[in-house]
Amino acid sequence: QVRVDESGGGSVQPGGSLRLSCAVSGDIGNRYSVGWYRQSPGKGHEGVAAVDKDGTISYAESVKGRFTIVRDFTKNTLSLQMNSLQPEDTGTYYCVADPTELKFSGTWRRYKFFEVQGQGTLVTVSS
């Protein structure tokens, strides 16, 4: 059974940085796409960044140039380096894994349909 466990959330001032990590248990190799979704207060889940099974990387427009996702296929880990954080980045960040693409034809798939979802880690950006 595949599981994911997130870590690295916290509080930071605007302009600051945080690094999130996700440990994937279960040998998924290149059979799963993995990525990060977030849920901001009062909003639904939105895709943030993903690495597909073939290594293709996708970012939400709002985080391009600020966030960097890295997947280690051999160690089964995923990280999200977040720089220049803004208050609108506040939310709970979830690591997800699924046998299909997380973003298809330019559209992020709905969070609730993913096979594997983490418990989430809270990121708060505030002065």
Side-chain angles (χ1 to χ4, degrees):
Q1 185 177 358
V2 178
R3 288 185 53 187
V4 294
D5 292 294
E6 308 99 333
S7 61
S11 297
V12 65
Q13 292 186 339
S17 298
L18 283 173
R19 184 176 183 272
L20 305 183
S21 297
C22 175
V24 182
S25 61
D27 185 15
I28 63 172
N30 61 353
R31 295 179 290 109
Y32 279 66
S33 299
V34 294
W36 295 93
Y37 273 60
R38 70 185 178 191
Q39 186 175 28
S40 301
K43 297 184 179 179
H45 293 85
E46 62 172 343
V48 175
V51 184
D52 285 337
K53 294 180 287 186
D54 64 359
T56 300
I57 293 175
S58 300
Y59 293 102
E61 287 296 323
S62 61
V63 307
K64 279 184 178 178
R66 300 188 298 123
F67 290 12
T68 302
I69 188 170
V70 177
R71 177 178 183 175
D72 189 321
F73 282 87
T74 57
K75 296 181 179 179
N76 268 349
T77 59
L78 184 70
S79 65
L80 185 68
Q81 178 66 42
M82 304 185 295
N83 298 328
S84 301
L85 283 162
Q86 300 301 318
E88 53 266 34
D89 295 315
T90 293
T92 301
Y93 285 68
Y94 299 90
C95 181
V96 299
D98 197 85
T100 65
E101 297 169 314
L102 303 189
K103 188 177 183 182
F104 181 73
S105 295
T107 301
W108 291 92
R109 292 182 55 217
R110 293 186 67 181
Y111 172 83
K112 68 177 183 179
F113 294 121
F114 295 136
E115 179 178 309
V116 186
Q117 304 159 0
Q119 294 298 308
T121 185
L122 180 62
V123 171
T124 303
V125 185
S126 175
S127 55

